[in-house]
Amino acid sequence: TPTLDETVSLKTLSSAKISPDRRFVVYLMRESNWKDNAYVLQLWSVNVTTGNTFQLTRGKKSAGEAEWSPDGHGLAFVTECESSAIEPPPPEKKEEGKDAEAGAGRTADHQIWVMSPEGGETWQLTKSEADVDVFHWSKDGKWIAFTANPPERKASKDRKEEYSDYKV
């Protein structure tokens, strides 16, 4: 009988997606991160012809479910990557005499990223001020539509801080 630690440490696979050309299958593998007391989901790919598997994403943050581009040459997924690893953060601008909106112009954590199914660099596709929830490629592969909640404004943050959060 497996122990509780062994049961929690089991790797599980989910969200398998076959590429349009039927050459690859991409899936999520869930692993336990004991140090941070969390599960982490990473994207993996298997070449159907050779049976070779390889890990596409890495790190402490989970990758979301991937979606194939219509031509099968790209994979899009939502994750919380550090964009500062790819481009330097913009310099902070201070507006004199004005109380600027807190967080205005700041990119949210969960964005759409695109990569090759054979691995390599990932490219940040969106820079939304709100976390991206769901997305879908257009049939021609030239566009991606996504949903995201509107960013929280300063007045709302101030109200929560003073009166706590509530829902009606």
Side-chain angles (χ1 to χ4, degrees):
T1 304
T3 66
L4 179 61
D5 286 354
E6 291 171 333
T7 303
V8 172
S9 294
L10 287 174
K11 295 178 181 179
T12 59
L13 308 179
S14 64
S15 305
K17 303 267 178 85
I18 300 170
S19 65
D21 62 7
R22 311 272 193 266
R23 291 180 39 223
F24 295 96
V25 176
V26 68
Y27 57 92
L28 286 170
M29 182 183 295
R30 185 187 80 173
E31 297 183 69
S32 301
N33 178 342
W34 288 99
K35 184 178 178 183
D36 295 333
N37 193 29
Y39 288 117
V40 178
L41 297 162
Q42 298 298 344
L43 285 170
W44 285 72
S45 179
V46 61
N47 183 317
V48 175
T49 307
T50 64
N52 292 337
T53 62
F54 50 95
Q55 188 172 355
L56 295 171
T57 60
R58 301 183 183 282
K60 291 183 178 182
K61 303 295 183 179
S62 289
E65 200 172 305
E67 185 174 320
W68 288 98
S69 64
D71 64 5
H73 291 117
L75 281 168
F77 57 96
V78 174
T79 191
E80 186 179 345
C81 285
E82 294 181 33
S83 60
S84 61
I86 295 169
E87 61 185 42
E92 290 188 25
K93 294 180 182 177
K94 293 189 179 188
E95 294 183 32
E96 295 181 25
K98 290 184 180 179
D99 186 20
E101 288 277 322
R106 180 189 169 275
T107 303
D109 295 330
H110 294 89
Q111 300 294 325
I112 300 173
W113 292 74
V114 179
M115 72 182 311
S116 166
E118 298 182 55
E121 287 293 321
T122 58
W123 299 281
Q124 185 174 358
L125 192 63
T126 58
K127 292 187 178 192
S128 171
E129 288 184 32
D131 286 330
V132 173
D133 293 321
V134 180
F135 69 93
H136 189 67
W137 289 90
S138 64
K139 289 187 184 210
D140 63 5
K142 293 181 180 180
W143 302 95
I144 290 183
F146 68 90
T147 61
N149 288 320
E152 187 175 36
R153 298 292 172 212
K154 184 176 181 342
S156 178
K157 287 180 186 178
D158 291 346
R159 186 199 76 234
K160 282 184 187 177
E161 189 174 303
E162 188 170 343
Y163 301 111
S164 187
D165 193 18
Y166 62 91
K167 293 185 185 209
V168 178

